[in-house]
Amino acid sequence: MGAPGRGDEEKVVTGSPVSTTSRALGGRPRSFDDDELEAALRATNGLMLPAADILGVTRRSVAERCEKNPDRFGPLLKELREGFVDRAENTLVRAVEAGDMQASIYALRTVGRARGYGDRQEITGADGGPLEIDVGAALAAALARLG
């Protein structure tokens, strides 16, 4: 075996849009630039651990780089997460349209909540205002002594 970086290297990036590089066994993680990070995040739909695997670095390194450059990576991560949610919603719509009962129930419990299909009931006062409770004199006196 040679010294780290001289022959005993392992390939850490495969099948990704990020350029293929290597890291010496037991050596320091490779450096990466913002363009490589963006490509890795796009390839993984914004998931940091798989992006870190592509880059051959730790998840913490990816998160710290994103935090250091919020103007670039904040909107990117938001865009990628919104795209993920859009795809999930599309899958749900297709399942409901195909007659999937479980998907239909889920859709009604979440999206249909405003029509009364939710599991949770919200209790309000008159015309949606705050709920007013008349507390008896004895209970009010006991609470006053505690407060």
Side-chain angles (χ1 to χ4, degrees):
M1 268 198 189
R6 294 194 176 102
D8 52 346
E9 296 178 345
E10 71 178 56
K11 194 177 234 180
V12 293
V13 179
T14 58
S16 77
V18 179
S19 62
T20 302
T21 58
S22 60
R23 173 171 56 115
L25 292 173
R28 292 181 51 147
R30 66 181 285 285
S31 63
F32 58 96
D33 63 29
D34 287 350
D35 290 335
E36 289 178 301
L37 177 54
E38 180 175 340
L41 288 169
R42 286 187 184 281
T44 62
N45 292 310
L47 298 175
M48 291 191 186
L49 183 59
D53 290 342
I54 288 172
L55 295 168
V57 299
T58 64
R59 183 194 181 285
R60 173 179 259 165
S61 294
V62 169
E64 286 175 354
R65 178 69 65 89
C66 289
E67 289 169 7
K68 284 182 184 177
N69 196 345
D71 292 339
R72 178 170 183 175
F73 294 110
L76 173 66
L77 291 171
K78 183 176 180 181
E79 170 195 334
L80 293 170
R81 288 183 183 124
E82 288 296 321
F84 173 80
V85 172
D86 287 347
R87 289 187 298 279
E89 286 177 334
N90 190 41
T91 300
L92 179 60
V93 167
R94 286 194 317 261
V96 169
E97 289 173 347
D100 183 318
M101 184 61 73
Q102 188 173 7
S104 296
I105 291 169
Y106 177 78
L108 289 172
R109 285 181 174 166
T110 55
V111 181
R113 186 177 300 143
R115 295 187 185 182
Y117 287 101
D119 291 331
R120 185 178 74 161
Q121 297 294 320
E122 292 188 24
I123 301 171
T124 63
D127 299 321
L131 187 61
E132 295 179 18
I133 300 173
D134 184 15
V135 179
L139 182 56
L143 291 173
R145 283 191 301 267
L146 293 174

